[in-house]
Amino acid sequence: MKSFTRELWFNTDKKRQFINITPTVEELLAESGIQEGFVLVNAMHITASVFINDDESGLHYDFDRWLEEIAPHEPVSKYHHNCGEDNADAHMKRQVMGREVVIAVTNGKLHFGPWEQIFYGEFDGQRRKRVLVKIIGE
């Protein structure tokens, strides 16, 4: 069994942003040479997420609105965590959207269902953060 590890780095322009990282993960899979196995993609920061869904701008807009409804940024004073910080909402948004995804690898390709893509979700951006990509298989 082989193992391949890389880290992706992000510094988003916006506080909240969704980035399709599928092409990058596909490039790393090709570089790994692994034909059968699994890919783990993991947000390494507690205010960011990795998730799988459709790459459709209306859906991303809806995600952002929905997350802001269930964990609004303002007023920052409503969160106990925000003593000296202002990102409690980002922690909650990450909890909802998830920490990581695992994708099967079949014949050297990501084994997706229809429309599935991998996204990095940033909820407290404009600073440098990383994502782990770990590919295991043969």
Side-chain angles (χ1 to χ4, degrees):
M1 182 175 316
K2 296 192 305 185
S3 174
F4 180 91
T5 305
R6 289 290 185 277
E7 290 182 348
L8 309 177
W9 288 89
F10 297 92
N11 191 348
T12 60
D13 296 334
K14 301 175 187 171
K15 188 101 168 147
R16 293 191 315 268
Q17 192 170 341
F18 301 122
I19 300 169
N20 187 334
I21 61 172
T22 307
T24 303
V25 174
E26 288 173 331
E27 289 170 10
L28 293 175
L29 177 57
E31 184 181 338
S32 77
I34 291 172
Q35 295 294 302
E36 299 290 327
F38 296 96
V39 176
L40 167 76
V41 186
N42 175 56
M44 302 290 287
H45 294 266
I46 56 177
T47 57
S49 176
V50 173
F51 63 95
I52 292 177
N53 215 301
D54 191 358
D55 191 6
E56 196 277 313
S57 61
L59 179 62
H60 297 182
Y61 175 83
D62 292 340
F63 278 152
D64 190 48
R65 270 195 29 228
W66 175 68
L67 289 168
E68 193 60 19
E69 286 175 15
I70 62 175
H73 180 68
E74 298 284 342
V76 295
S77 62
K78 80 181 237 175
Y79 299 104
H80 290 292
H81 175 73
N82 282 346
C83 296
E85 298 195 47
D86 71 346
N87 67 355
D89 68 298
H91 290 273
M92 294 177 191
K93 289 169 175 135
R94 186 266 179 100
Q95 199 65 24
V96 170
M97 295 303 285
R99 174 180 189 258
E100 65 196 13
V101 297
V102 175
I103 306 105
V105 174
T106 304
N107 295 322
K109 304 286 184 201
L110 298 174
H111 201 142
F112 282 135
W115 310 109
E116 288 187 330
Q117 298 283 294
I118 308 164
F119 293 90
Y120 171 71
E122 177 59 74
F123 308 116
D124 186 28
Q126 300 174 313
R127 58 193 173 101
R128 198 162 186 246
K129 296 184 184 177
R130 65 193 162 125
V131 168
L132 171 70
V133 178
K134 182 83 159 182
I135 306 170
I136 300 170
E138 299 179 3

